[in-house]
Amino acid sequence: MASENTRKWAIIPEPNSMTVGEGTVLLPYAGRVNESIAIGDGDFLLAHQLVADIRSATGTDWDIATGDMWSGFIRLRIADSWDFDSQDGGTAGAYTLTINTDGITITGCDFEGVRNGVQTLRQLIRQNGAVLPVLQIEDAPAYRIRGYYLDATRGRVPTLAWLKQWADKLCLYKYNQLQLYIEHTFAFDGMSETWRGSSPLTPADTLEFDQYCANLGIELVPSVSTFGHQYVAMRTQELRELGEFPEDADRPFSFIERMRHHTLNVADDRAFAFSAQLVDSYLQLFRSKRFNICADETFDLGKGKSKQEAQRVGVATLYATYVGKLCEHLSKQGREPMFWGDIAIEMPEILETLPNNVTLLNWQYEPEATDEKIQLVAQAGAKQIVCPAVWGWNALLPRIDDAWNNIARIARYGLDCGAEGMLVTDWGDFGHVNDPRMAVPGMIFGAQYAWNPAGDTAENDLLERISRVEYGDCSARFVALLRNASAQAVFTWRELVEYLELDDGTGNCNTDVAQTIPCLADRLVDHLSDCGNAMTVREARNRMMRNMATTIERIPQANRALQQCMVDIAPIAAHMGNPGITAAVRIAMEGQLLLNRVGFALAEAHDVRDAHDAGDWRPSDYRALARELECWCEAYAKEWNATSQPSELHRIQETVWKAADELRRISK
């Protein structure tokens, strides 16, 4: 392969075999794409994709035809036979691409192969316009399943228009599966109390999007929580009795408690009827035979209403029995069940009970993850898909280094252990404050490593290639600057939510929240035994901020570095011609500057550092900082609307307003 240093274009995922020849090929000003009918692309979408990119890059209009009576400078066809094997010994998705003076030919072993070849050619056209390099590519994916998992429930419900744009982008980078995570944000019949006010997706949305994805060669797999993560449903009047702790249903809403308390009482026979209703109504809207029942993070199982049954049979058996019953229910309808593997891995005896047609979604998000859990599932003989993350949750700026380390490792481990695919996850914990457009670098990491996990791809090289291919940045610096900016996040959205939610509303510490903060969890019991009283919110916040003292010291330096990133990225963004991502990045960076300053102000309020040490960065007017936060929040809301329905934007706003009010309070 030609060195990245000798050419100004790139392909993502990087092809397995590419030979770049001498010279170039000039696209005709009035050309034609001939797409074989044998490909099975009924609407000739692939040809239309190429014509659209040629028009955008060159300004010329091309024709489309099919059949051997019509010439075509670009020819798309299915191979009569195939002898080029992908890394796992199969051929699904494999293609060849030839560019020479005679024209351009893409040959695939199947529809997906042709689709993948077309995406490679589209990337070349977008970067090179009418003058393409002479080259020969033989390419195929390592993983048969290359999926993306998008949280569409814990804060943001994407608009259908944006979902289609995202599917287009996934197609460009050769993904072939997409799942949307649903808890309460779907308009199920008879459950209006659960989804009211959440801007829920509808059956019509799903049918339209399922067809749209299918045309792009992307399998839209239904995914809905059926066991854990029932926080909103279990707080309703109609369904609260199905939860482990119905007595807590009227507690104030909490981002943090939503992540912890949400489990069905599966010892109640009504629970299965509830889950089966979700499954049966939802699956009818999808052409996919797969179904993800989720069943993860059932933290409260056996601790509340089901405690007596758990003591009788054991928590593992209680879990396995319920999940097995749901899987059997799906299997009887000709569906292939999937579920998250965290509980089964914690209790390995569950692995031995899994039916043969069940796929375990084995998630690990640590940047330095090991292969232990993936090996465990492989040794148990269970089918698995490995699941890393784009690392965007709880933050305005994506943690790009963490995403790269996590995705690259998990992809290699999965390949070594015979995993069937990779599903890259994009979560929205704590209200989905992260703009989904900021996940693009992580998504492309997933595209690269699902295609070729064994490749020797350095992070900096990949950042440069993403800058060129995705953002049209000739300097190849855009994503590296975004990474540098994210490294300056000292006081993040997560810390702000934790600080605010430590107040239970009565002046006491919210112990459920405190238990999720390491520096407080160990102290709660000791404090009660020492003084005989519950920890006050003031005491909890003092301890939290003092634990961050060393981190807080970085804020002046971090904000100067972040401002420099903003200065450096501005002229690059101005030439990219993408005002949407430019605005999203600017709002995220400005927001992080403010969060850092809020953290500094709170640290001062809790006497974490002396005022005379604060230097130029001491917020001398907390009220002014409060006003800046509120103005920023209005700009943030406008950008929210670019991708998402109103959904839970109000919760983000209320959190910002609460922070502003706290700043005004401590200024007195």
Side-chain angles (χ1 to χ4, degrees):
M1 174 173 291
S3 167
E4 291 288 344
N5 295 326
T6 63
R7 53 181 166 83
K8 299 300 183 182
W9 52 267
I11 298 168
I12 305 173
E14 197 168 21
N16 292 304
S17 172
M18 180 169 71
T19 302
V20 180
E22 297 293 330
T24 57
V25 173
L26 180 65
L27 294 178
Y29 66 89
R32 178 183 293 135
V33 179
N34 185 303
E35 180 178 352
S36 170
I37 198 75
I39 293 170
D41 178 17
D43 294 330
F44 298 97
L45 174 69
L46 300 178
H48 282 291
Q49 284 182 330
L50 288 168
V51 167
D53 278 332
I54 290 169
R55 182 184 303 114
S56 178
T58 72
T60 59
D61 288 310
W62 277 39
D63 192 16
I64 293 172
T66 191
D68 57 12
M69 297 297 292
W70 296 92
S71 63
F73 191 81
I74 298 177
R75 299 172 292 276
L76 312 180
R77 67 186 189 91
I78 293 285
D80 296 327
S81 61
W82 196 263
D83 58 6
F84 174 59
D85 287 345
S86 63
Q87 294 177 21
D88 63 358
T91 58
Y95 72 93
T96 63
L97 167 62
T98 303
I99 302 177
N100 58 37
T101 54
D102 294 331
I104 300 170
T105 301
I106 295 173
T107 304
C109 68
D110 52 14
F111 166 79
E112 186 182 344
V114 178
R115 184 204 71 148
N116 292 337
V118 166
Q119 308 318 307
T120 296
L121 181 56
R122 291 176 67 202
Q123 291 183 21
L124 290 170
I125 291 168
R126 290 182 175 198
Q127 295 170 81
N128 294 285
V131 182
L132 300 181
V134 172
L135 56 73
Q136 172 71 31
I137 290 175
E138 291 185 343
D139 203 9
Y143 281 117
R144 179 173 58 86
I145 295 172
R146 305 176 304 285
Y148 198 84
Y149 195 87
L150 178 64
D151 191 336
T153 206
R154 286 187 297 196
R156 288 181 187 267
V157 177
T159 64
L160 183 58
W162 186 83
L163 282 174
K164 289 179 178 179
Q165 292 175 28
W166 192 250
D168 289 337
K169 201 173 292 294
L170 293 177
C171 175
L172 181 65
Y173 294 106
K174 306 183 177 75
Y175 278 86
N176 62 6
Q177 188 183 107
L178 172 61
Q179 299 186 32
L180 303 181
Y181 176 51
I182 298 294
E183 290 176 7
H184 64 286
T185 52
F186 194 84
F188 288 106
D189 282 351
M191 291 183 62
S192 57
E193 189 188 2
T194 300
W195 49 253
R196 66 188 184 188
S198 69
S199 309
L201 293 168
T202 67
D205 294 331
T206 302
L207 292 171
E208 183 175 342
F209 190 48
D210 185 62
Q211 181 65 58
Y212 192 85
C213 288
N215 291 343
L216 293 170
I218 296 173
E219 178 187 16
L220 185 64
V221 175
S223 172
V224 64
S225 288
T226 59
F227 194 167
H229 287 289
Q230 294 291 343
Y231 181 77
V232 175
M234 296 304 100
R235 288 164 58 82
T236 64
Q237 295 292 330
E238 292 188 19
L239 295 172
R240 64 177 59 192
E241 290 303 319
L242 295 182
E244 285 279 9
F245 294 104
E247 63 272 18
D248 290 339
D250 292 322
R251 286 169 62 94
F253 175 89
S254 162
F255 284 133
I256 294 172
E257 289 185 37
R258 175 156 75 178
M259 301 301 298
R260 305 294 302 178
H261 299 297
H262 42 56
T263 308
L264 279 177
N265 168 23
V266 296
D268 188 326
D269 291 339
R270 295 175 297 174
F272 184 78
F274 167 74
S275 298
Q277 178 185 357
L278 295 177
V279 167
D280 293 347
S281 55
Y282 204 44
L283 65 80
Q284 294 181 353
L285 305 175
F286 297 80
R287 67 193 66 202
S288 173
K289 294 299 182 184
R290 297 181 175 90
F291 196 108
N292 181 4
I293 61 172
C294 295
D296 58 317
E297 296 187 331
T298 52
F299 298 125
D300 292 331
L301 183 63
K303 297 178 180 178
K305 288 284 190 178
S306 70
K307 185 174 183 178
Q308 184 175 355
E309 182 65 10
Q311 289 174 338
R312 186 180 72 84
V313 302
V315 174
T317 298
L318 191 61
Y319 178 89
T321 300
Y322 195 76
V323 169
K325 192 175 179 180
L326 281 173
C327 290
E328 182 182 5
H329 182 74
L330 278 163
S331 298
K332 286 179 178 178
Q333 301 180 71
R335 305 290 167 148
E336 301 172 15
M338 310 170 118
F339 68 93
W340 298 109
D342 53 310
I343 305 300
I345 289 170
E346 288 175 11
M347 306 174 189
E349 60 268 35
I350 295 174
L351 294 173
E352 301 173 2
T353 69
L354 296 180
N356 292 332
N357 68 333
V358 171
T359 299
L360 207 69
L361 301 173
N362 195 347
W363 60 270
Q364 289 185 86
Y365 303 149
E366 301 86 355
E368 305 299 324
T370 69
D371 65 351
E372 181 180 358
K373 293 180 179 179
I374 298 172
Q375 288 275 13
L376 177 66
V377 175
Q379 289 166 4
K383 295 195 297 185
Q384 67 177 318
I385 289 175
V386 293
C387 307
V390 300
W391 271 89
W393 63 87
N394 298 345
L396 292 172
L397 291 165
R399 287 150 290 192
I400 289 175
D401 283 342
D402 289 339
W404 182 80
N405 277 300
N406 177 236
I407 291 170
R409 286 171 182 268
I410 296 301
R412 289 194 296 269
Y413 299 156
L415 185 66
D416 291 342
C417 293
E420 295 196 342
M422 187 164 83
L423 184 67
V424 181
T425 62
D426 184 355
W427 297 106
D429 308 11
F430 292 18
H432 212 144
V433 69
N434 39 308
D435 190 307
R437 292 170 292 187
M438 305 297 278
V440 169
M443 179 272 285
I444 298 177
F445 290 165
Q448 172 62 50
Y449 289 104
W451 192 269
N452 185 8
D456 184 19
T457 304
E459 180 183 8
N460 287 336
D461 290 341
L462 188 50
L463 296 187
E464 290 181 3
R465 290 197 285 129
I466 295 172
S467 295
R468 292 186 188 280
V469 177
E470 170 61 23
Y471 298 107
D473 169 24
C474 295
S475 75
R477 297 177 60 218
F478 180 78
V479 183
L481 286 169
L482 184 59
R483 176 192 60 183
N484 295 346
S486 70
Q488 313 313 320
V490 178
F491 192 79
T492 68
W493 179 255
R494 180 187 184 102
E495 278 88 35
L496 179 63
V497 170
E498 289 174 339
Y499 181 91
L500 295 173
E501 289 196 358
L502 278 170
D503 187 350
D504 70 355
T506 68
N508 288 319
C509 171
N510 184 327
T511 55
D512 280 337
V513 171
Q515 287 170 1
T516 69
I517 304 173
C519 69
L520 296 178
D522 295 338
R523 182 60 182 149
L524 288 173
V525 176
D526 293 340
H527 187 278
L528 187 60
S529 61
D530 289 345
C531 63
N533 298 314
M535 187 181 292
T536 67
V537 65
R538 177 71 185 182
E539 290 167 331
R541 286 174 170 175
N542 272 337
R543 180 168 290 274
M544 175 186 170
M545 296 309 298
R546 289 185 181 281
N547 187 67
M548 293 189 67
T550 302
T551 304
I552 294 291
E553 295 286 339
R554 290 187 50 232
I555 286 178
Q557 177 184 358
N559 270 14
R560 285 192 289 270
L562 184 49
Q563 288 177 321
Q564 187 60 51
C565 286
M566 294 170 65
V567 169
D568 293 341
I569 212 168
I572 294 172
H575 287 90
M576 291 187 334
N578 189 339
I581 191 61
T582 300
V585 168
R586 178 65 186 273
I587 292 298
M589 289 184 175
E590 292 282 3
Q592 188 55 59
L593 281 170
L594 288 169
L595 282 175
N596 283 349
R597 290 174 58 195
V598 169
F600 204 95
L602 295 176
E604 285 191 335
H606 288 275
D607 299 320
V608 169
R609 54 178 296 145
D610 295 330
H612 66 80
D613 291 330
D616 296 337
W617 287 99
R618 179 174 181 261
S620 56
D621 187 343
Y622 291 176
R623 294 183 179 185
L625 179 55
R627 291 192 291 270
E628 287 184 66
L629 269 178
E630 289 159 343
C631 291
W632 172 84
C633 193
E634 291 303 302
Y636 173 86
K638 292 179 182 178
E639 282 309 304
W640 176 287
N641 295 330
T643 64
S644 309
Q645 300 183 62
S647 32
E648 293 187 32
L649 171 61
H650 67 96
R651 298 199 192 279
I652 303 289
Q653 293 171 312
E654 288 162 5
T655 300
V656 173
W657 299 336
K658 191 180 294 185
D661 290 345
E662 182 68 17
L663 287 169
R664 291 188 174 97
R665 186 189 66 79
I666 64 177
S667 71
K668 295 178 180 178

